[in-house]
Amino acid sequence: MPFFLMFILRKTRETLGIYWVLVRIMVPITLLTELLARMGVIKAVAPAFAPVMHLVGLPPELGLAWLTGMLVGIWGAIPLIFTLVPASSLSVADVTVFSALILFAHGLPIEQKIIQKAGPGMIATTLLRVLGGLLYAFLLHHVLVATGWLSASVNPTWVPMNATVGWVHYFRALGETMIWMLAILVVLSWSLELLRVTGLLELMMKALSPILRLAGISGEAEHLTAVGLFLGISYGAGLLIREARSGAISPRQVFLSCVFMGFAHSVIEDTILVISLGADVYGVLGGRLAFAVAATAATGALLGRLSDETFFAQFFRLPHAQSEGG
């Protein structure tokens, strides 16, 4: 079989494998949420999320989607958004602010475990992601309110799920969502592959070097951080694990790289996804990157004040291979 055909089959199998994992996560969560909503449980527990959602100007019902995103991932939160709150009652600003929340902190149990294996403490980096997301969403909300920008009703290109009347209609909508999700995954997967093959991805990574230096990230850590920025924490932090164990990158640079990736990663795939829901690109990409640079630089300045003893005791644990070597 020609190499090109083998490559296509392998890539398709990989995408279908990811899709099947997502289906097994999303369908049970979506069905359970719908049942809870119809039983009135969502309405009853929504006030518990009210204080946090109020800070960022969002309906309290979206707190459940935010929590689901943090624990399960973006694909777990997306079907819940328009189920919990009808699209007709949300503005572009609302969807942009909520998208910012889940872009900063999603799939935490898995992604933070990968980051932890590179050395940074799980508690510290998890708190930075969650609190950083809340701070950015808070600032973005107040800027949008003060300027009146993005106040128009949201007009999503894709509505994963929406409020439904009967179960027949609901399951039809769920089936349509699963089909659209597969189509989007295939397009995103091949788009990223084309960027790699044509060399555009490498050029984009090189162009980022000056920006990453502003955040305090330098040397080999620049390239690995750029990998995480474009392709995700699994790739970026996964490569950092090897480099951290070899001692090729200093622990403080590893920490800063992971902090930056926590704030901004998978910017191609995730950004396209939330834009399809009606989010504004400047709010979920431009502002997010600017915040990631500033917040990582501030974190680096604070780390510079810490002694090595405090840093390694509280924020970083040397990976196994490096600690054995002294």
Side-chain angles (χ1 to χ4, degrees):
M1 183 181 293
F3 174 78
F4 183 69
L5 288 178
M6 290 179 63
F7 179 76
I8 290 176
L9 287 174
R10 179 175 62 81
K11 196 64 187 177
T12 302
R13 281 198 299 267
E14 288 176 3
T15 303
L16 289 174
I18 294 169
Y19 175 70
W20 178 236
V21 170
L22 292 172
V23 167
R24 286 186 294 170
I25 293 171
M26 285 177 60
V27 171
I29 288 175
T30 306
L31 286 172
L32 178 60
T33 303
E34 182 67 14
L35 279 171
L36 292 174
R38 293 180 184 232
M39 293 167 60
V41 176
I42 301 297
K43 187 176 181 180
V45 302
F49 294 99
V52 177
M53 292 296 102
H54 177 72
L55 279 175
V56 294
L58 294 175
E61 291 83 1
L62 286 179
L64 180 65
W66 176 54
L67 180 63
T68 302
M70 285 194 291
L71 295 177
V72 178
I74 288 180
W75 285 101
I78 279 175
L80 305 185
I81 298 171
F82 300 125
T83 300
L84 296 169
V85 181
S88 58
S89 64
L90 293 172
S91 66
V92 178
D94 292 332
V95 175
T96 301
V97 170
F98 180 77
S99 296
L101 280 177
I102 60 173
L103 286 173
F104 270 82
H106 57 261
L108 294 177
I110 295 173
E111 292 187 348
Q112 290 304 112
K113 191 66 178 176
I114 296 171
I115 284 177
Q116 184 185 38
K117 287 184 177 296
M122 180 179 281
I123 294 176
T125 52
T126 301
L127 283 174
L128 280 171
R129 286 183 69 178
V130 175
L131 295 178
L134 282 170
L135 176 59
Y136 178 68
F138 174 80
L139 295 173
L140 181 61
H141 163 63
H142 282 281
V143 168
L144 296 179
V145 169
T147 61
W149 187 36
L150 308 182
S151 58
S153 296
V154 69
N155 184 25
T157 305
W158 175 46
V159 179
M161 296 291 292
N162 211 332
T164 54
V165 178
W167 282 108
V168 173
H169 187 109
Y170 174 81
F171 281 111
R172 186 184 302 124
L174 180 59
E176 290 173 357
T177 295
M178 295 299 107
I179 293 170
W180 271 106
M181 187 179 79
L182 176 59
I184 290 170
L185 272 176
V186 170
V187 170
L188 288 173
S189 176
W190 279 105
S191 296
L192 285 172
E193 200 60 40
L194 282 172
L195 287 173
R196 285 197 195 98
V197 172
T198 58
L200 287 174
L201 191 62
E202 186 67 25
L203 288 174
M204 291 162 68
M205 289 179 181
K206 288 180 179 177
L208 268 175
S209 289
I211 296 174
L212 293 176
R213 281 195 286 271
L214 285 175
I217 299 168
S218 58
E220 182 61 23
E222 289 179 16
H223 178 76
L224 300 183
T225 306
V227 170
L229 180 69
F230 287 114
L231 301 180
I233 283 176
S234 296
Y235 292 95
L239 292 171
L240 272 174
I241 292 171
R242 182 190 64 198
E243 299 301 321
R245 287 177 175 172
S246 70
I249 301 177
S250 73
R252 291 175 189 260
Q253 281 291 301
V254 171
F255 188 89
L256 283 182
S257 177
C258 288
V259 168
F260 186 91
M261 280 191 284
F263 292 148
H265 58 275
S266 298
V267 293
I268 299 173
E269 179 180 352
D270 291 352
T271 301
I272 292 173
L273 194 55
V274 296
I275 286 174
S276 73
L277 302 177
D280 177 76
V281 65
Y282 295 106
V284 296
L285 181 58
R288 180 185 173 204
L289 286 176
F291 180 90
V293 170
T296 304
T299 302
L302 291 173
L303 285 181
R305 296 174 176 272
L306 296 179
S307 65
D308 284 346
E309 182 180 353
T310 302
F311 175 70
F312 288 112
Q314 302 294 329
F315 298 102
F316 197 95
R317 182 176 180 180
L318 288 170
H320 184 65
Q322 186 179 1
S323 61
E324 284 185 341

